[in-house]
Structure formats: structure tokens, C-alpha cells
Amino acid sequence: MKTFTKVLATALTAAIGFSLVGCAANSSEEDHIYRTLDEIQESGVINIGVFSDKYPFGYVDENGSYQGYDVYYANRIAEDLGVEVNFVSTEAASRIEYLETGRVDVVLANFTVTAEREEVVDFANPYMNVALGIVSREDNVITSLDNWNPDDSIIVISGTTAETYLIENYPDIPLQKFDSYATAKEAFENGTSAAWANDNTEVIAFAIENEGYVVGIPSLGSQDTIAAAVTSGNESLLNWLNDELVTLGTEDFFHADYEATLIDVYGADYEDELVVEGGVI
């Protein structure tokens, strides 16, 4: 009897173990935190992360509606998918987190493609060119970061390429970090720092819109690209976005986007320099 009980227990243990292994295997193969293209279309809604305070790329207007270059693109994505768009306000530092937790399906928040970010999210092909820039006051124009006054600081947005670049290349320059563009602009206007480092598109816009400021360094570091990002492994959505870029390129969609949302800020001179059509640089 003891022998029979022991054999039965062993068999049950083995069966349970096999069952758990099978469940784990199925879980790793079938469970994912993102929504596939089919799941998005079946739901009728796509969740897209955009900025709500970064004019003219992603912002909320006086009527409470999302506007801007990235928003214009997001609306077209939803239209061509045949779904409604749900805009999710995001800050620079939370873009990756929102993808990794499934809070958004796509991030369209001036997301610069970097090797470090490519390790944790999947980028579609680019739709815009960008570099870093430095804006400062006209009574103290910063044209070089060499021989920096250690008593001065530079404003950056947490989680941006400007923060990463300055930490890696100018570790002795004090940084004043903010989570949102609105608070960074307010601090800069209040004179808390000597300069503000950000995408050159952002600092050029700031200098154009605000008297007394000059972009003394319009291009810092390497030329980069802006692209939509999806959760790592979401191949169906990524492939659709890349195919969509090709289609949109045939109608010069992003030139139309620029002329609808950016030309009043940057003028026509920057259009061909900034816009990428068809996903090809």
C-alpha cells in the first residue's frame, strides 16, 4: 500500500510539473502586453501617446483639442486603420514606460531614435530629421559649450536625448532637469539657467515666439531622426506603420503636415530639411 501511494504521488507530481511547464510555455508564446494590429482594429480604438504641452508638435488648444505635427499624423493613422484615436498625454520620461505597460499602442511624441532606446522599444522608419540645439538670452548668447561657467546650468527635459548627450559629453556642466516642457519653459523664462538644450526644432520655435532669445547653437552632436515607436515585439503594428509611411510618401503627406502645423513657426526654409517622406532619409 505504501509503495502504491508513493508511486501515485510521484506520478501526480510529474503530471503537475508537466502541466505547469506546458502552461508556462503557452504563456510565453501567447501572452503579450501589447495589442496586435488585429486586436486594435477589433477594439475600434488606437491609443497613441503624444505631448500635450510641446507646441507645435503636440499640444492642447484653447478648446481642449489635441493639435500639432505629431497629432496630425496620429489622426491619419487612426483614419487609415478604420478606428478612433484616443490621445494619451505623455511626458518625455514616460514614453518607454507607457509602451512597456501597454498604456499606449504607439508613441508619437517627438521620439528621437537612439541605439539605447532601440534595445527596449521598436521604432518604425523615420518621418522627421532632428538635431540638438541650445537657446540662450540675447544679452548672453551661448555659442559654445567649451569653457563653461561652472556657476551656470543648462535646462533639459528628463528622458530626452539632450539630457543624455550632455551627461555623456559635458559631464561637468550642471543640469537643471524638468519632467514637462511647460515647467522647463517657465523656469527658463524666469532666468533660473543660462541656456536650454532641446531638439533644435523646439529651441528654434521658442526663440521665434519669444523676444530676447537666440539659438546660438542650432546643431549640436549628430543628426538624428524622429519615428513612431511600438512595444518591442509588436511586429504586426510595426509592419503596418512602415507600409503606411510608404503609402503616405506617395502623396507627400508629411510636407502637407508641415504646411498645416509647422510653417507658421519655422517658415518654408526648414521644410525640406526637417521632413522625411516615405520613411527614407
Side-chain angles (χ1 to χ4, degrees):
M1 184 69 178
K2 290 183 179 180
T3 302
F4 174 78
T5 302
K6 186 174 182 181
V7 170
L8 179 59
T10 302
L12 287 171
T13 300
I16 293 171
F18 178 79
S19 175
L20 290 174
V21 169
C23 288
N26 289 336
S27 176
S28 63
E29 291 173 2
E30 297 175 5
D31 291 350
H32 46 72
I33 208 154
Y34 56 80
R35 298 195 301 162
T36 65
L37 181 66
D38 287 343
E39 289 169 336
I40 291 168
Q41 290 180 305
E42 287 171 7
S43 75
V45 177
I46 184 168
N47 301 311
I48 299 183
V50 295
F51 288 127
S52 60
D53 62 354
K54 189 178 182 181
Y55 176 85
F57 296 95
Y59 64 98
V60 177
D61 66 16
E62 63 276 7
N63 297 317
S65 299
Y66 281 90
Q67 304 289 348
Y69 187 77
D70 292 337
V71 174
Y72 189 102
Y73 177 29
N75 282 323
R76 179 59 184 269
I77 287 174
E79 177 185 339
D80 289 351
L81 275 174
V83 299
E84 298 294 323
V85 60
N86 174 43
F87 290 113
V88 179
S89 177
T90 183
E91 295 176 349
S94 60
R95 290 175 293 195
I96 291 175
E97 175 194 346
Y98 279 18
L99 286 171
E100 290 182 328
T101 58
R103 183 167 179 177
V104 298
D105 303 303
V106 181
V107 164
L108 286 179
N110 260 165
F111 214 0
T112 304
V113 179
T114 68
E116 181 181 30
R117 289 170 177 169
E118 286 181 309
E119 294 180 359
V120 289
V121 300
D122 288 343
F123 283 101
N125 293 327
Y127 63 91
M128 192 173 192
N129 291 312
V130 71
L132 297 179
I134 303 287
V135 61
S136 49
R137 292 169 187 80
E138 62 182 4
D139 59 355
N140 181 30
V141 179
I142 305 298
T143 59
S144 172
L145 296 184
D146 300 327
N147 303 315
W148 184 265
N149 182 348
D151 294 330
D152 290 332
S153 62
I154 294 180
I155 286 175
V156 296
I157 308 296
S158 298
T160 62
T161 50
E163 177 191 23
T164 303
Y165 178 84
L166 291 173
I167 289 174
E168 292 178 351
N169 294 279
Y170 295 92
D172 295 330
I173 295 180
L175 301 182
Q176 191 175 7
K177 303 179 184 181
F178 295 91
D179 289 331
S180 74
Y181 287 88
T183 53
K185 289 177 181 178
E186 182 180 1
F188 187 46
E189 290 170 343
N190 290 335
T192 62
S193 292
W196 180 19
N198 208 333
D199 291 351
N200 59 356
T201 51
E202 177 73 13
V203 296
I204 290 169
F206 181 87
I208 290 172
E209 295 163 9
N210 298 274
E211 290 186 9
Y213 296 91
V214 176
V215 180
I217 306 178
S219 184
L220 182 67
S222 62
Q223 289 285 328
D224 294 309
T225 58
I226 300 293
V230 302
T231 308
S232 180
N234 195 351
E235 292 185 7
S236 62
L237 183 55
L238 181 68
N239 291 338
W240 185 90
L241 288 170
N242 283 330
D243 289 342
E244 175 77 344
L245 286 172
V246 174
T247 301
L248 295 178
T250 64
E251 58 184 75
D252 287 336
F253 171 83
F254 288 102
H255 280 82
D257 188 351
Y258 183 99
E259 290 164 13
T261 62
L262 301 185
I263 200 165
D264 288 345
V265 177
Y266 299 110
D269 291 343
Y270 284 100
E271 184 170 347
D272 289 334
E273 179 181 343
L274 294 176
V275 169
V276 174
E277 292 285 7
V280 180
I281 301 174

